Amino acid sequence: MAKKKHLHILPTLVCLVCPLTFVITFIVAWQMGHVSLAFPYISDTGNYAPESCIFSQLLNITSMLLALCVYIRYLQVKQFANFRSTIGHRLSANNVATLLGYLSCLGMDIVANFQVKYVWQIHYIGACLCFIGGTVYFIFQTFFSYYLSKKFDSGFVFYARSILCFLSVLMTIAAIVPGVVSGYYYTGDPNQETHWRPEDGGYILHIISTGSEWILALTQCILVLTFLPEFKNIHLFSPKLKVICKTDWNFFQLKALTTRKRSRPEFLKKKKKQAKPCSALYKRDLYILFYLECEDLMDEEREDLMDQVPRYTYNWT
């Protein structure tokens, strides 16, 4: 099995690519006149082409990298965390946290591909999955890091995550509540919401909401980066892949699994040199005799074996 090292590169890439995506799309959208300079929503910077193409492509890559981080974290907690915490009869806290992590990745992918201007309902569902699901996911990870701190000598990670999670909860509330309220006070042109002006109603609440969203996105990127010291000390082995397929009864290889042992036929019992133990495979009412790795069988003896089951073709190598 191949051993995978340098796993800490994954959270580093997430922390670099995600903010870089927002900065690039913001600059392009501002230069194209699609958003105002004063703190637009992150989603507003990916409404129109060409910035929407960059927004979608880079966030899709980020969601994939983040999903890999969630999977590696799941394996790490499962292997090293010394605690037992179950939710219900079958769900463990680690499984629930991993599910929330994958939902957060799915939400990011939805945000990337469904622009708020055209399909705002689906976009907002994705945003809630991404930000709320991500916040709850990292609350779980803060809980896990308390038990992993002694194993990986990373006690500071627990305190850092605690502070960042508290900030993430505050920013989530500050982004959602003022954003909803400001929409009721907005008196400007509905088609110009990306150019919210001070004279439009609810401007202060709008700025609070958009600023909180940017801080929330940056906070969650830093939370992903806190995986770096823990991923740096682990190696991941590639999983074994075992392919189980239905047997093709028109072609057999003699190095196949067998299920029932049978006695040797009479012509082999007469040999002075005994053959190696052999097995047989039962298919319906027919016993097919296989002599595996019997190097001392003569060609004529093999032919006799093949004549017993002439319906099938064998590969004796």
Side-chain angles (χ1 to χ4, degrees), residues 40-51:
Y41 281 112
I42 294 175
S43 302
D44 291 340
T45 64
N47 270 333
Y48 304 99
E51 62 267 19

Side-chain angles (χ1 to χ4, degrees), residues 62-96:
T62 304
S63 64
M64 180 187 67
L65 295 173
L66 187 58
L68 292 175
C69 292
V70 171
Y71 175 68
I72 295 172
R73 180 63 174 179
Y74 164 77
L75 295 178
Q76 183 187 29
V77 173
K78 183 180 179 181
Q79 180 70 26
F80 297 108
N82 297 320
F83 70 94
R84 292 183 179 181
S85 178
T86 58
I87 301 175
H89 295 290
R90 296 184 178 180
L91 293 177
S92 67
N94 192 23
N95 291 336
V96 173

Side-chain angles (χ1 to χ4, degrees), residues 6-45:
H6 310 296
L7 300 178
H8 59 283
I9 294 177
L10 292 174
T12 305
L13 288 176
V14 172
C15 191
L16 291 177
V17 175
C18 191
L20 184 64
T21 302
F22 300 149
V23 171
I24 291 175
T25 55
F26 170 70
I27 293 175
V28 174
W30 176 55
Q31 290 294 327
M32 299 291 293
H34 296 156
V35 297
S36 62
L37 186 60
F39 282 112
Y41 281 112
I42 294 175
S43 302
D44 291 340
T45 64

